[in-house]
Amino acid sequence: NDNIKVAFVGNPNCGKTTLFNAYTGAKHKVGNWPGVTVEKKEGTITYGDNKITLVDLPGIYSISPYSMEEILTREYIIEDDPDVVVNIVDASNLERNLYLTLQLIELGKPVIIALNMMDVAKSRGFVIDKKKLSKQLNVSVVEVVATKKMGLDDLLQQIIEVSNEKEQYKPIELDYGNEIEQHLIKIENELKLQNVDENILRWYSLKIVENDSEIINKLNIVDKCNYEEEIAKIKYDYITNFISNVLVNSLDEDETFSDKIDKIVTNKWAGLPI
Ligand code: GDP
Ligand code: K
Ligand code: MG
C-alpha cells in the first residue's frame, strides 16, 4: 500500500504529543515548520502492510487566521493533502473541543475523532455515545487513552479504513441560514471560474464571508459582509443542540467538591459562565 499521511490536530493539552510519541517512540524527526519557530514532529510507522506517516501539528482552538499555529495547520491540511485528519479530542471537555472539530470537518478531508482522556472522562462519570457522535458528524470515533497506550490499534485500523474510502467521504454541511448561504453560493460560483478545487470551495467561501484577510488576499475575492460572529454562533448552537444526546454526565446531580472546583476552573478558562 501507499504511504498514508495523517495529521494530528487538536486543542492544546488534549494529548496529541503523548499519542504521537506512543506510536512513534524515538523514531521521529523534530524540526521547524518552514519560516516559523513552531516545532514540527513527523514520524513513520509500519502497521501490517501499511506505512503511516504521522504529523503532530500545534495545539489550536480554531482555524482562523489569528495565529501562526492556526494558519500553518490549515495550510498543512489544504496544501500537503493528508489522507486523514485525526482530531484528538479531550473527552473530558467534549463540548468545548467540538468547536474545532466542526471547523476541521469543513476543510473537507476525512476526519477521525480520537476521544482521548477517556480515563478522565469515565472517572468524572461522563458517558459518551460514540455511535451518536459519529452519526451526528459523519466521522469515525475511536476511544483512546494515550498515556496508557489504549486504543492505539483501533485508531490505526480506522485510519487505514477511512483512508481507503476517502474518495467516497462526504462531510456534513452546517446550514448557515438563507442570507449567509446566498453569499456562499455566489462566492462558490466565482471561485469555480478560478478553477478552485471542488472539495475546498465551501471552506474558502466561508472564510471569505468571515472576512478572513489571509484567504481574501490569496484568492482576491471580497464579500462586503462580515458574518464571522454569526458563523461561530451557529457552530456553537449546533453543538449545544446535539451534545445532550451524545454526552451524559452522571455526576451532575452529585458531584464531588473537587469536581465542582475543576468545572469552575475549566469554565473560567474557556470563558464560559461559572
Ligand atoms: P498536547 O498539548 O496535545 O500535545 O498534549 P500532551 O500530549 O502534552 O498532554 C497533555 C497532558 O495530558 C500531559 O500531562 C499528558 O501526560 C496528559 N495526557 C495525555 N493523554 C492522556 C490520557 O489519555 N489520560 C490522562 N489521564 N492523561 C493524558
Ligand atoms: K502541552
Ligand atoms: Mg504537544
Side-chain angles (χ1 to χ4, degrees):
N1 269 12
D2 289 340
N3 202 335
I4 300 173
K5 198 151 69 170
V6 181
F8 275 13
V9 186
N11 289 5
N13 294 315
C14 65
K16 269 185 319 311
T17 302
T18 309
L19 190 62
F20 178 87
N21 289 340
Y23 281 123
T24 61
K27 288 185 299 182
H28 65 255
K29 291 183 295 191
V30 184
N32 274 352
W33 292 92
V36 292
T37 54
V38 181
E39 189 181 85
K40 179 181 186 184
K41 287 168 89 177
E42 195 175 307
T44 299
I45 57 173
T46 306
Y47 188 72
D49 309 329
N50 302 277
K51 277 208 184 322
I52 306 177
T53 297
L54 309 174
V55 178
D56 185 21
L57 286 146
I60 50 172
Y61 294 105
S62 169
I63 46 176
S64 337
Y66 301 132
S67 75
M68 197 152 65
E69 286 81 359
E70 293 178 21
I71 291 174
L72 72 83
T73 297
R74 66 196 210 173
E75 275 182 357
Y76 180 82
I77 294 172
I78 296 167
E79 313 287 342
D80 288 60
D81 203 26
D83 299 290
V84 179
V85 173
V86 172
N87 174 207
I88 292 105
V89 160
D90 173 357
S92 68
N93 271 307
L94 183 64
E95 187 168 357
R96 193 183 58 195
N97 278 241
L98 289 176
Y99 182 64
L100 177 63
T101 309
L102 285 184
Q103 297 183 69
L104 291 173
I105 290 170
E106 278 173 346
L107 277 169
K109 297 271 153 53
V111 171
I112 297 176
I113 293 180
L115 278 178
N116 189 36
M117 311 252 184
M118 278 308 297
D119 54 335
V120 181
K122 280 178 186 154
S123 76
R124 293 191 188 162
F126 295 127
V127 178
I128 298 169
D129 189 328
K130 275 193 302 176
K131 279 212 184 97
K132 278 191 189 152
L133 181 60
S134 167
K135 220 169 154 196
Q136 184 74 41
L137 299 175
N138 191 30
V139 299
S140 303
V141 179
V142 181
E143 292 183 13
V144 295
V145 181
T147 41
K148 294 182 187 141
K149 302 195 178 196
M150 281 168 62
L152 299 194
D153 279 2
D154 290 349
L155 180 55
L156 288 180
Q157 279 159 22
Q158 274 306 310
I159 287 169
I160 292 162
E161 203 168 297
V162 168
S163 166
N164 285 338
E165 290 165 5
K166 68 174 181 174
E167 303 305 335
Q168 287 93 269
Y169 175 71
K170 194 91 184 69
I172 57 155
E173 284 183 1
L174 264 59
D175 180 355
Y176 290 103
N178 244 327
E179 193 177 319
I180 294 175
E181 292 292 339
Q182 291 300 324
H183 285 269
L184 294 176
I185 291 169
K186 208 170 128 250
I187 296 165
E188 280 184 34
N189 286 333
E190 280 185 58
L191 291 178
K192 270 183 206 158
L193 298 175
Q194 294 187 22
N195 295 321
V196 171
D197 194 278
E198 188 78 30
N199 298 323
I200 199 74
L201 277 178
R202 188 169 171 88
W203 187 76
Y204 276 146
S205 305
L206 277 164
K207 291 293 125 183
I208 290 164
V209 302
E210 286 179 349
N211 205 26
D212 183 305
S213 55
E214 214 239 348
I215 300 299
I216 287 171
N217 289 337
K218 182 165 149 179
L219 296 175
N220 213 1
I221 289 192
V222 187
D223 185 83
K224 281 166 224 75
C225 302
N226 180 354
Y227 292 103
E228 187 178 14
E229 275 177 38
E230 286 84 346
I231 287 171
K233 186 182 178 307
I234 289 164
K235 285 195 174 77
Y236 281 120
D237 287 348
Y238 184 81
I239 297 165
T240 307
N241 279 329
F242 78 74
I243 196 77
S244 59
N245 293 325
V246 164
L247 174 68
V248 180
N249 179 3
S250 62
L251 283 184
D252 243 352
E253 304 300 327
D254 189 21
E255 58 189 355
T256 63
F257 182 68
S258 78
D259 281 321
K260 280 205 180 86
I261 297 294
D262 224 47
K263 196 187 275 176
I264 289 169
V265 172
T266 306
N267 285 357
K268 206 175 164 190
W269 182 48
L272 298 169
I274 57 174

